[in-house]
Amino acid sequence: MQSLEQLDDSSGLKKLADLSQEEYVRNVNELRKKLLTAWANEKKVESVQIVVELSRILSSTAAPHFYPSQFVLITDILDIFGDLVYERLLSKANKERAEAGLGPLPKHFTHEDVPLATRETAKNWFCKIGDILELLPRFYVETAIINCIVFLDADSLSANLHRLSGMPLSIQHPLIASYARAYLCRVAMRLSPADRAPHWKCLNDWMQSFDTQPVCIWLFLQFCCS
């Protein structure tokens, strides 16, 4: 895909560092449209390829002044992808329940309320994402769809958020690791706001990445504990 190549720093077409912010935003918006079109046309493989390639861009710091903008634009698309997968599974479950003479899934459903075929589909999604070889794209895409774990086992959401919070430890670059933690915390806050474990895990790991703790950390902790 030409748009992906233009955004990918490894491409020979145009280096990411050479893109203006306006060009970058325009290309990312085009990819957002491509994702929605691919999904609407049942091209799930292409949809996954788009979000994987977008996530891969976040592994490059060739243009550090763009990184915050990259993060916001790309994670917004990842959130869209996660919502698309969730809504598709929800629709599939309700359709299967209707065929079985049952009503739609309750608001706070458990995996026992989910038809077996939908559970298998949800499992396949996580298996496909688990097959992504590169750590950073796998982390971002799995985090984006982690809400879908409720179709398999709602009680495991907390454990999986905590597991994901530890993955940035394997990311060598401190900037990339910090933003990965920020995305995990954002998702965790939305899905399980009362569960602070992933946030404290991310904060602790981030603090341990410094030889000397910045003063801002202690000011932040003082604010949180006051």
Side-chain angles (χ1 to χ4, degrees):
M1 298 177 197
Q2 185 175 359
S3 296
L4 288 175
E5 290 174 342
Q6 287 177 331
L7 288 173
D8 190 350
D9 188 62
S10 64
S11 160
L13 294 178
K14 193 169 187 180
K15 293 294 184 181
L16 180 61
D18 295 332
L19 284 175
S20 69
Q21 187 163 0
E22 183 179 346
E23 289 175 314
Y24 189 90
V25 172
R26 183 169 60 250
N27 277 276
V28 169
N29 285 335
E30 288 177 4
L31 287 173
R32 182 196 298 261
K33 293 177 183 177
K34 285 181 179 292
L35 171 63
L36 295 174
T37 300
W39 188 266
N41 292 329
E42 301 291 334
K43 296 181 179 179
K44 297 183 180 64
V45 173
E46 182 178 340
S47 300
V48 173
Q49 288 174 339
I50 291 173
V51 292
V52 167
E53 289 296 332
L54 281 167
S55 300
R56 187 175 291 131
I57 294 170
L58 293 176
S59 65
S60 171
T61 56
H65 58 291
F66 268 161
Y67 202 89
S69 298
Q70 287 176 236
F71 174 80
V72 171
L73 292 167
I74 291 172
T75 54
D76 279 350
I77 297 177
L78 286 169
D79 288 343
I80 291 172
F81 177 71
D83 290 341
L84 289 172
V85 176
Y86 183 91
E87 291 300 325
R88 180 64 59 87
L89 290 171
L90 183 63
S91 176
K92 179 178 175 61
N94 284 333
K95 181 180 178 181
E96 291 175 9
R97 284 175 61 89
E99 292 172 350
L102 301 172
L105 284 172
K107 183 176 181 180
H108 301 291
F109 63 87
T110 69
H111 68 282
E112 295 178 349
D113 300 315
V114 180
L116 182 59
T118 301
R119 274 185 270 169
E120 285 298 317
T121 301
K123 182 179 179 180
N124 288 338
W125 271 107
F126 283 101
C127 288
K128 289 177 183 177
I129 302 307
D131 287 338
I132 299 173
L133 297 179
E134 296 170 75
L135 173 64
L136 196 68
R138 186 170 72 251
F139 166 82
Y140 272 108
V141 180
E142 184 178 359
T143 302
I145 71 163
I146 196 61
N147 193 29
C148 299
I149 202 73
V150 297
F151 292 97
L152 296 173
D153 181 8
D155 293 335
S156 70
L157 176 61
S158 178
N160 277 282
L161 287 172
H162 195 267
R163 173 181 59 81
L164 288 168
S165 70
M167 289 179 67
L169 280 171
S170 300
I171 300 172
Q172 298 299 316
H173 197 288
L175 177 68
I176 297 172
S178 294
Y179 273 90
R181 292 186 179 106
Y183 183 60
L184 186 280
C185 288
R186 191 175 87 184
V187 171
M189 183 63 71
R190 184 176 73 246
L191 300 182
S192 186
D195 182 9
R196 302 298 177 85
H199 308 286
W200 285 113
K201 168 68 173 169
C202 287
L203 178 61
N204 180 70
D205 290 345
W206 179 66
M207 291 172 63
Q208 297 303 319
S209 67
F210 294 95
D211 293 329
T212 302
Q213 305 299 335
V215 175
C216 64
I217 292 180
W218 303 112
L219 293 175
F220 170 76
L221 290 177
Q222 185 178 20
F223 172 78
C224 290
C225 297
S226 61

